[in-house]
Amino acid sequence: MKITEIVRKKTYYEVHAGNAVYEIDGELLRQYHMQEGENLDEDTLEELHQKSRFRRAYRRACYLLDDRDYSYCMMYQKLMHTYQDKNLCIKVMEQLMQCGAIDDRRYAKKFAEYLVERKHYGTYRVRQELLRKGIDKELTEQCVQNFEEQSLEYLPEVLAKKYGSQLTDPEDFKTREKVIAGMTRLGYDYFSIKKAVE
């Protein structure tokens, strides 16, 4: 196929050949000495196109991981949003898992620890947040169990800090129910909250 035009984009080059446009990064373009007017077979162009897209997607994932940790599901969704190519995204995710850059076990432990120690969430809320981030049920349950006691230790402190000033009248059942509802939203169970309030 004859290369009719090479157009520079931000992170790659568009190589026009026949009726198709191939996205090829600069390194591969130089390596294959591509120039306008040159002939290259369609299979080679397609292979270089796929290779370039993989490199860009992988670099993008590494760039995102420099900023913070991601679960498998979160990173996959980010890549799919940008590249909209299931096979490409799965290949990138496999590579990221292989080198240890994506590890749901590590992510779930760190995130659960953050939710309990910094946000002072109860285990119900921790469970919801982990599942929302795409962590599977079994791993979520393991994490929640590991932080159950620690979460309950924070309950009196959180209750006193957030609602201590409102719980002055033992006969004010309306306020008491509002406080219990608020603490339930933070993920603590009803009986533990009631005990702490009393």
Side-chain angles (χ1 to χ4, degrees), residues 2 4 15 31-32 46 68 71 75 81-82 89 111-112 120 127 134 146-148 150 158-159 166 193 197:
K2 191 175 183 179
T4 54
V15 176
Q31 194 178 324
Y32 281 78
E46 185 57 40
R68 66 185 186 96
S71 69
M75 181 58 78
H81 179 75
T82 305
C89 294
F111 189 57
H120 300 303
R127 183 180 287 110
N146 291 341
F147 288 98
E148 207 155 0
Q150 194 177 355
V158 174
L159 183 65
Q166 296 174 35
I193 299 166
V197 166

Side-chain angles (χ1 to χ4, degrees), residues 45 49 55 66 73 84 108 116 145 153 159 176 186 192:
L45 284 167
H49 172 76
R55 284 180 177 187
D66 271 350
C73 185
Q84 295 164 3
V116 171
Q145 283 174 4
E153 284 172 20
L159 183 65
R176 190 174 158 159
L186 283 176
S192 300

Side-chain angles (χ1 to χ4, degrees), residues 50-84:
Q50 293 302 331
K51 223 182 242 187
S52 294
R53 281 178 59 81
F54 176 83
R55 284 180 177 187
R56 285 206 329 276
Y58 187 75
R59 277 192 218 118
R60 172 83 179 136
C62 290
Y63 170 78
L64 291 169
L65 286 164
D66 271 350
D67 192 37
R68 66 185 186 96
D69 211 0
Y70 283 82
S71 69
Y72 182 100
C73 185
M74 290 163 60
M75 181 58 78
Y76 179 79
Q77 286 172 352
K78 280 258 184 200
L79 292 173
M80 275 299 285
H81 179 75
T82 305
Y83 296 98
Q84 295 164 3

